[in-house]
Amino acid sequence: MKTWLSIDPQSDFSIYNLPFGIFSSKNHSRRPGMAIGDQVVDLQVLAEMGAFAEEKIPGEVFHQPVLNTLMALPRQQSRWIRMRVQQLLLETEEKESWQENASRWLIPMSDVQLHLPVTIGDYTDFYSSYQHAFNVGSMFRGPENALMPNWKHLPVAYHGRSSSIVVSGTDIVRPMGQRKPPSSEDPVFGVSARLDFELEMAFVVANPTAMGSRVSTAEAEEHIFGLLLFNDWSARDIQQWEYQPLGPFLGKNFGSSVSPWIVTLDALAPFRCEGPVQDPAVLPYLKVNSPGHFDLPISVAIAPREGKEKVISRSNYKYLYWSMAQQLAHHTVNGCPICTGDLMASGTISGESPDSFGSLLELTWGGKNTLDFEGITRTWIEDGDTVVMRGGAGEPGKRVGFGEVKGTILPAKPFC
C-alpha cells in the first residue's frame, strides 16, 4: 500500500496500522481519532464530510469522549471504518478531494492531547507468562515447587481496580501501606520501598455478553477490539505481606498505565504465530484450533531522575503460555458477563533469558542484584524515575506499533 502522506519509515503508525484513540486540542473537544505517522485523523470531521455515509454509521458514534460506542458497533462496521480511512489515505483516484481538504481532518500529533481511550468498567489481570510465574515461584518456594498445581490447567487471574488505570504520561504517586520487614515480627506502616513495574499487554472487549452465557475460544476474537501496552505498577513489599492467603490488593490498585492507542487485531494479523506447547493437554473448553499468539517485540526502559534512559528488558508477547482466546474463554466459562470497554491484561511477560524478564522483581532477583545506569544503580524504582514501555513489529514503512506507555514516580503524599 502506498499513501500520499509523508510518513517516517520508522513510525509505529504506518498505513498498515491505523490504531484508534481519543484526543483533544485547543480547538477540538475529546473525540475519536486514529494515528497515522505524526498526525491524528479526526473521525468526527471525516463523518461530517460524508466519509462514512456509505455504511450508514450513526453520527453520534464520532461525537463521544471515549471509544465505547464505536467499539460496540457490529464488528463489520468498526472494521469498515478503519478500512475506509485507510482507503482515503492511499494513492487512488479518490484521493484528490480528500487530500485537498486534509487540513480539516488531519491534525499534527504535537498539537493534541491524548486521553484514556475507553471507559473501563472492569479490569482483570492474568498471570499467563510461564517464565514469570516460574521465576517468582522459584524465589519464594524453590524451583521444585515454583508453579502451583493449577497453573498449567487454567489461566490464573485476579480482578483489579479500573479507577486507577491512567493513560501514558500520567504521573504515579508512590503508594503507602503495611509492610513486614524481615527484622520485625510485626508489620509497620509506611512508604513502599520496593516499587516495581510489570511489562504487560492488555486487550479491550468490544462486544458484550449476557450473564449466564459463555464465549468459546473460537468466538473470543470477535469480542476483542484490540491491544494496548500496559504497565501494572506493583509495590512488592506491600504485596508480599498482604497476599496471604488471598490475592493482590493495595500492592497493585494504586496505579496502572496504558498506551493511548488501541491497535486492532486486523492490523496485528501479519504477526500471528503459534504459542508454546501446552503440556499437559488443556481441558476441551480451552483448546484452540488456530494460532492465537502474536510475535510482538516489547521493551521496557528506565530513565533515572539523574541519568539517561536505558533499555533494561526486551521481551515478546508471543512468550505467553495462555492466549487471549483462552483467557476470555476461561473468564466467561462460568457465565460471567463481559462489557464493552472491559480491559484484560496479560500479566508480566518474561522470556527465558534474564534480559527478557518483565519486572525488576526478576531482573534484580528479589532485590539481590542491582542494575547499572552509567554509574547510577537501581534495585527498585526511586522517586523521579520514569519507566517507558514500547512495542511493535514490522519492517520499515510497514511497522505496526503501540507508541509508548510512560509514567514518572512522584514522592508519596504526607499521611494525615
Side-chain angles (χ1 to χ4, degrees):
M1 292 187 289
K2 186 177 180 180
T3 175
W4 46 265
L5 276 176
S6 177
I7 301 174
D8 184 340
Q10 302 302 323
S11 173
D12 276 355
F13 309 124
S14 70
I15 189 67
Y16 294 85
N17 191 353
L18 294 175
F20 289 84
I22 292 292
F23 76 96
S24 67
S25 71
K26 63 179 181 180
N27 298 318
H28 302 82
S29 58
R30 292 194 190 193
R31 59 184 63 186
M34 301 175 79
I36 178 71
D38 59 359
Q39 300 190 75
V40 176
V41 175
D42 188 332
L43 294 177
Q44 180 177 315
V45 171
L46 274 184
E48 292 168 354
M49 293 173 67
F52 308 123
E54 179 183 337
E55 191 65 18
K56 298 180 180 180
I57 297 172
E60 61 265 24
V61 167
F62 306 105
H63 288 257
Q64 303 298 317
V66 288
L67 291 173
N68 295 58
T69 304
L70 188 153
M71 294 191 304
L73 290 171
R75 296 293 282 138
Q76 69 270 18
Q77 287 194 327
S78 60
R79 284 171 168 150
W80 184 85
I81 292 171
R82 176 177 171 273
M83 292 175 63
R84 176 58 174 156
V85 172
Q86 194 174 62
Q87 182 184 39
L88 299 181
L89 291 166
L90 291 177
E91 288 277 8
T92 65
E93 294 181 358
E94 188 185 16
K95 80 164 189 177
E96 288 190 11
S97 60
W98 298 104
Q99 188 174 6
E100 288 174 1
N101 294 285
S103 61
R104 291 180 58 189
W105 56 278
L106 284 173
I107 306 169
M109 204 170 291
S110 58
D111 292 344
V112 308
Q113 180 179 354
L114 301 176
H115 303 276
L116 193 67
V118 297
T119 295
I120 303 169
D122 280 305
Y123 154 50
T124 300
D125 192 26
F126 285 90
Y127 192 51
S128 292
S129 166
Y130 170 83
Q131 196 63 50
H132 174 67
F134 181 83
N135 289 343
V136 174
S138 295
M139 288 180 213
F140 296 105
R141 295 183 295 273
E144 300 80 9
N145 300 302
L147 296 183
M148 291 298 190
N150 65 350
W151 198 90
K152 285 192 172 183
H153 293 277
L154 56 86
V156 174
Y158 75 94
H159 288 286
R161 183 73 180 174
S162 60
S163 64
S164 56
I165 298 176
V166 295
V167 74
S168 175
T170 305
D171 295 333
I172 301 292
V173 176
R174 181 176 295 273
M176 303 180 77
Q178 287 192 29
R179 300 174 287 121
K180 187 179 180 300
S183 58
S184 173
E185 294 184 0
D186 299 313
V188 299
F189 176 83
V191 175
S192 172
R194 295 190 166 200
L195 193 57
D196 199 356
F197 62 82
E198 290 191 341
L199 177 59
E200 306 190 23
M201 299 283 285
F203 68 83
V204 182
V205 171
N207 300 327
T209 61
M211 189 170 180
S213 63
R214 295 184 293 272
V215 176
S216 69
T217 56
E219 300 166 329
E221 291 192 4
E222 287 302 308
H223 292 267
I224 298 173
F225 189 76
L227 291 171
L228 306 120
L229 277 171
F230 191 81
N231 180 0
D232 189 24
W233 301 93
S234 300
R236 299 300 185 185
D237 42 6
I238 296 174
Q239 180 184 0
Q240 185 176 356
W241 170 237
E242 73 179 1
Y243 83 143
Q244 309 169 52
L246 298 181
F249 185 36
L250 300 187
K252 294 281 192 178
N253 70 3
F254 63 92
S256 298
S257 302
V258 296
S259 53
W261 298 107
I262 303 177
V263 179
T264 66
L265 295 189
D266 290 337
L268 295 171
F271 315 109
R272 193 178 290 273
C273 65
E274 297 283 353
V277 175
Q278 294 183 320
D279 183 24
V282 299
L283 291 174
Y285 80 95
L286 288 171
K287 289 184 177 179
V288 293
N289 296 319
S290 59
H293 284 66
F294 296 87
D295 185 356
L296 298 173
I298 49 180
S299 67
V300 56
I302 292 181
R305 63 177 180 270
E306 68 274 58
K308 296 180 180 179
E309 179 184 306
K310 177 183 177 181
V311 174
I312 59 172
S313 176
R314 297 185 187 277
S315 191
N316 196 303
Y317 187 54
K318 69 180 180 181
Y319 295 154
L320 290 180
Y321 189 85
W322 298 102
S323 70
M324 288 185 293
Q326 291 174 315
Q327 290 167 349
L328 193 56
H330 183 68
H331 201 304
T332 61
V333 74
N334 66 343
C336 172
I338 54 174
C339 302
T340 303
D342 283 357
L343 186 144
M344 303 194 185
S346 63
T348 306
I349 305 171
S350 296
E352 294 183 357
S353 61
D355 61 354
S356 65
F357 293 167
S359 67
L360 286 175
L361 178 64
E362 298 164 272
L363 290 165
T364 69
W365 208 252
K368 295 178 181 179
N369 307 315
T370 59
L371 302 178
D372 180 71
F373 294 81
E374 296 184 4
I376 302 166
T377 60
R378 286 290 186 271
T379 303
W380 306 102
I381 303 169
E382 296 188 8
D383 294 345
D385 291 353
T386 300
V387 177
V388 187
M389 296 175 180
R390 301 179 177 92
E395 62 187 76
K398 296 183 178 181
R399 185 167 172 79
V400 175
F402 297 82
E404 63 182 25
V405 55
K406 176 189 292 188
T408 300
I409 297 299
L410 301 182
K413 295 182 178 179
F415 182 73
C416 299

